[in-house]
Amino acid sequence: MKIDVGFTHIALSASNLNQSIDFYQRYAHMSVIHERTDKEIDKRVVWLSDKSRPFVLVLVQSSNPVPILGPFAHLGVGCKSKSEVDDLCDQARREGILSREATDSGYPVGYWAFINDPDGHVLEISYGQEIGLTVERSET
């Protein structure tokens, strides 16, 4: 059995898991890779991943979630292009969940925006942050 070492997940509460799953599918290209009912707490739990690295977003059903990721604390997702960021911002604006318009902050921050998930947790979408390249450079 392979043992996971390092940063593996973040867990958040969600009032409606189906709405949250839909949000993270549309805005972060994530899909459900595990689902169960936790017998200890009698709550539905899902793990979402974009399958780009061994990291998951754990969502736990809650009748009264507290949005801990906001107004600045957030999850960050890299996009393939500025136009993808713009398209997602347009979609979020139409849905009334865009919390910060796209901003170009230059290197190393890049082009980014904030979108609220169904429970008020904040998702940052960005292009040009080069997180992976920065990590690779730091290993040499």
Side-chain angles (χ1 to χ4, degrees):
M1 173 166 65
K2 185 175 179 181
I3 297 173
D4 284 335
V5 177
F7 201 42
T8 59
H9 70 279
I10 185 167
L12 301 173
S13 57
S15 60
N16 183 318
L17 286 183
N18 292 334
Q19 283 182 344
S20 293
I21 291 166
D22 178 63
F23 173 86
Y24 286 101
Q25 284 176 334
R26 292 182 296 120
Y27 287 101
H29 306 291
M30 300 179 99
S31 59
V32 175
I33 62 164
H34 170 78
E35 182 171 352
R36 72 179 188 285
T37 298
D38 187 309
K39 292 182 186 346
E40 285 186 32
I41 59 174
D42 193 34
K43 301 286 183 189
R44 184 175 164 214
V45 178
V46 296
W47 295 2
L48 299 168
S49 175
D50 65 5
K51 300 180 184 171
S52 67
R53 59 188 44 98
F55 181 83
V56 298
L57 171 60
V58 178
L59 296 177
V60 180
Q61 184 72 43
S62 173
S63 59
N64 191 21
V66 176
I68 59 170
L69 293 180
F72 177 75
H74 58 272
L75 298 171
V77 173
C79 295
K80 293 178 184 174
S81 65
K82 277 183 148 181
S83 63
E84 182 180 2
V85 172
D86 289 337
D87 291 345
L88 291 171
C89 284
D90 289 344
Q91 181 177 330
R93 193 178 302 106
R94 286 190 303 273
E95 294 178 22
I97 58 174
L98 183 66
S99 61
R100 179 154 179 164
E101 291 284 345
T103 302
D104 194 337
S105 296
Y107 181 83
V109 178
Y111 189 64
W112 60 277
F114 283 164
I115 301 171
N116 290 334
D117 85 356
D119 292 295
H121 302 295
V122 177
L123 177 69
E124 176 190 294
I125 55 172
S126 66
Y127 172 74
Q129 288 190 347
E130 297 185 5
I131 301 292
L133 295 175
T134 303
V135 170
E136 285 178 12
R137 281 192 293 258
S138 73
E139 292 173 346
T140 58

